[in-house]
Amino acid sequence: MNHDRSHALFTRASELLPGGVNSPVRAFKSVGGEPFFAQRAQGPYLFDVDGNRYIDYVGSWGPMIAGHAHPQVLDAVARTMRDGLSFGVPNPLEVTMAEAITSIVPSCEMVRMVNSGTEATLSAIRVARGATGRSRIVKFEGCYHGHGDSFLVKAGSGALTFGLPNSPGVPKALADLTLTLPYNDFEAATALFDEVGIDIAGLIIEPIVGNANCILPREGYLQHLRELCTRHGALLIFDEVMTGFRVALGGAQQRYGIAPDLSTFGKIIGGGMPVGAFGGRRDLMRQVAPSGPIYQAGTLSGNPVAMAAGLATLELIQAQGFHDALEASTHALCGGLEAAAREAGVAFHTTRAPGMFGLYFREGPVESFADALGSDAAKFGRFFHAMLERGVYLAPSAFEAGFMSSAHSEADIAATVDAARAAFAVVAAA
Ligand SMILES: *Cc1c(COP(=O)(O)O)cnc(C)c1O
């Protein structure tokens, strides 16, 4: 595979953009090598500037659940954009979007549109703090909620100590207000709430973790967190930026039958445009400006073109059987990969939810962040490059989930498994 043009672009980019990219994981740092530059994308495929084609299992990190450049989405964008790109006054598509979200996700009685997942989570914890009058936030090891200061925090020694900044530039005073729990640990959550429950404004969680590879909740775990929050007067916040509209039409909260107090969305609801949203109980959302005192605003929020792309995507995924088919194809892919690994004698395990999956170079089960960290990242790096050479693009990190779209056909899955047979042999020989 020739990568001359990508290499030339990356050389130029590296002088001008930190790390040559506008978002860190794109730089291939954890798998080595250089990223390729996309020229265009169609259905399940990415095409790079050197003319190579890849079967894409990243899908722009989630939004492209109906495949790239879907004609219905592009048509909606083209139609809408001809009327102007932004108005700075309300537009009808914002109302249609709010109706769509609140009807698909019943726990969201009201919503506010924003421009990214990061903005959604930042705003949701402000609402939690403003509505409860409390300061502390609880999050989970391995969960990612965007790059807001309050989320770039790791656990101190022991769950009950203060959090530690995970990045320069995050003030210690702010990190102190974020407490971190191990995901899927029932007792740790109970103990934390027993100790400091009275100070906790909200608990935020990825109900299925998609930012530490892919980890599913243990039976009853989300229900346990729901009960703890209710008992201690803290708000339960589901960060469904990744899982929303993917693992079921109504997201993980539908799949597991839990009603959070607040939810955050992004990715799919923008259909590939920069969009996020937060929403929840009416009594909480009514406290957001201008109907209430909790401030939140955005010049481009509810942008008509972005709403059009999101609405067209939401329409596509409401087709009968959409998520069942996505679940079946995710299983077919993961089952094929596991079989190929067995043939090659490589220790390998997958985790699966409809439309998203985890690949682990270790034996299962994987139920905690520590389990996920036990995956052999060097083996993953070899596998990643062996797949890339064979025209399959996986997330360029051992600790990111993979994404499936409705555009991936049986033939694409079969071609991926064929490539994996050869790639596992490379891993086994190393
Ligand atoms: C991607 C993601 C975010 C951040 O969204 P951005 O649009 O990148 O700011 C937040 N939470 C979760 C669970 C995500 O997967």
Side-chain angles (χ1 to χ4, degrees):
M1 246 183 211
N2 181 306
H3 289 115
D4 290 351
R5 288 186 174 165
S6 278
H7 176 68
L9 280 162
F10 193 57
T11 305
R12 280 165 60 200
S14 299
E15 291 298 315
L16 302 168
L17 304 168
V21 292
N22 281 313
S23 192
V25 73
R26 295 180 199 168
F28 278 30
K29 273 197 123 166
S30 71
V31 289
E34 285 185 358
F36 61 87
F37 282 66
Q39 182 69 51
R40 66 189 184 88
Q42 182 65 60
Y45 307 121
L46 275 177
F47 297 86
D48 72 14
V49 289
D50 291 288
N52 303 304
R53 190 195 85 167
Y54 308 90
I55 305 175
D56 177 23
Y57 290 101
V58 180
S60 192
W61 301 97
M64 313 320 298
I65 191 167
H68 290 284
H70 194 289
Q72 270 170 253
V73 179
L74 297 189
D75 285 350
V77 167
R79 249 191 343 266
T80 308
M81 102 192 161
R82 280 194 285 272
D83 289 331
L85 293 180
S86 180
F87 308 130
V89 297
N91 74 80
L93 293 176
E94 296 173 85
V95 186
T96 313
M97 177 59 91
E99 283 167 348
I101 295 175
T102 54
S103 74
I104 293 171
V105 186
S107 77
C108 288
E109 296 174 313
M110 297 180 89
V111 291
R112 167 65 55 86
M113 301 310 295
V114 294
N115 304 287
S116 69
T118 293
E119 245 189 278
T121 56
L122 287 176
S123 307
I125 61 166
R126 181 172 304 148
V127 172
R129 285 171 163 154
T132 60
R134 302 173 178 183
S135 301
R136 287 179 139 176
I137 297 294
V138 177
K139 68 181 274 288
F140 290 81
E141 278 176 354
C143 284
Y144 177 70
H145 305 293
H147 65 273
D149 287 346
S150 292
F151 302 122
L152 296 182
V153 174
K154 59 187 175 219
S157 53
L160 297 183
T161 60
F162 299 113
L164 299 172
N166 220 350
S167 162
V170 175
K172 178 82 175 70
L174 193 58
D176 281 348
L177 298 176
T178 301
L179 303 167
T180 306
L181 281 172
Y183 182 81
N184 265 339
D185 184 331
F186 285 71
E187 290 76 34
T190 307
L192 182 71
F193 274 83
D194 281 346
E195 190 79 16
V196 295
I198 192 76
D199 298 328
I200 297 172
L203 174 147
I204 186 166
I205 187 166
E206 287 182 77
I208 294 172
V209 185
N211 284 285
N213 215 322
C214 181
I215 312 171
L216 301 174
R218 282 188 179 132
E219 176 85 41
Y221 187 61
L222 298 172
Q223 186 60 42
H224 179 64
L225 299 178
R226 174 67 278 179
E227 284 159 15
L228 282 174
C229 285
T230 303
R231 187 173 333 134
H232 293 272
L235 299 183
L236 178 65
I237 308 167
F238 272 12
D239 180 355
E240 298 231 46
V241 171
M242 188 180 287
T243 53
F245 313 102
R246 173 171 293 278
V247 299
L249 179 61
Q253 53 193 280
Q254 178 187 327
R255 193 167 169 80
Y256 295 104
I258 310 280
D261 301 297
L262 293 169
S263 301
T264 55
F265 302 102
K267 298 185 173 136
I268 288 174
I269 45 164
M273 301 289 278
V275 179
F278 64 98
R281 279 165 36 199
R282 188 177 298 277
D283 63 304
L284 298 172
M285 293 303 290
R286 276 218 170 111
Q287 298 180 47
V288 174
S291 63
I294 302 171
Y295 197 68
Q296 197 283 328
T299 301
L300 295 174
S301 296
N303 175 272
V305 183
M307 295 303 97
L311 285 166
T313 302
L314 291 185
E315 197 175 310
L316 290 169
I317 68 171
Q318 290 182 74
Q320 188 68 37
F322 182 94
H323 290 86
D324 291 341
L326 201 60
E327 179 164 34
S329 59
T330 309
H331 277 296
L333 174 73
C334 290
L337 294 177
E338 286 188 352
R342 261 195 310 278
E343 276 169 38
V346 174
F348 181 77
H349 177 68
T350 65
T351 53
R352 314 154 189 194
M356 60 190 278
F357 57 86
L359 307 179
Y360 294 94
F361 283 82
R362 57 161 296 163
E363 302 292 347
V366 173
E367 295 189 326
S368 68
F369 185 48
D371 291 344
L373 291 179
S375 182
D376 188 326
K379 281 187 185 160
F380 175 80
R382 282 193 283 277
F383 183 73
F384 169 85
H385 282 291
M387 292 295 273
L388 194 66
E389 276 167 34
R390 290 165 180 79
V392 179
Y393 179 53
L394 301 169
S397 161
F399 304 106
E400 298 285 352
F403 296 98
M404 197 79 185
S405 81
S406 57
H408 289 86
S409 67
E410 277 178 35
D412 294 316
I413 293 170
T416 304
V417 172
D418 276 346
R421 268 191 209 99
F424 281 122
V426 170
V427 172

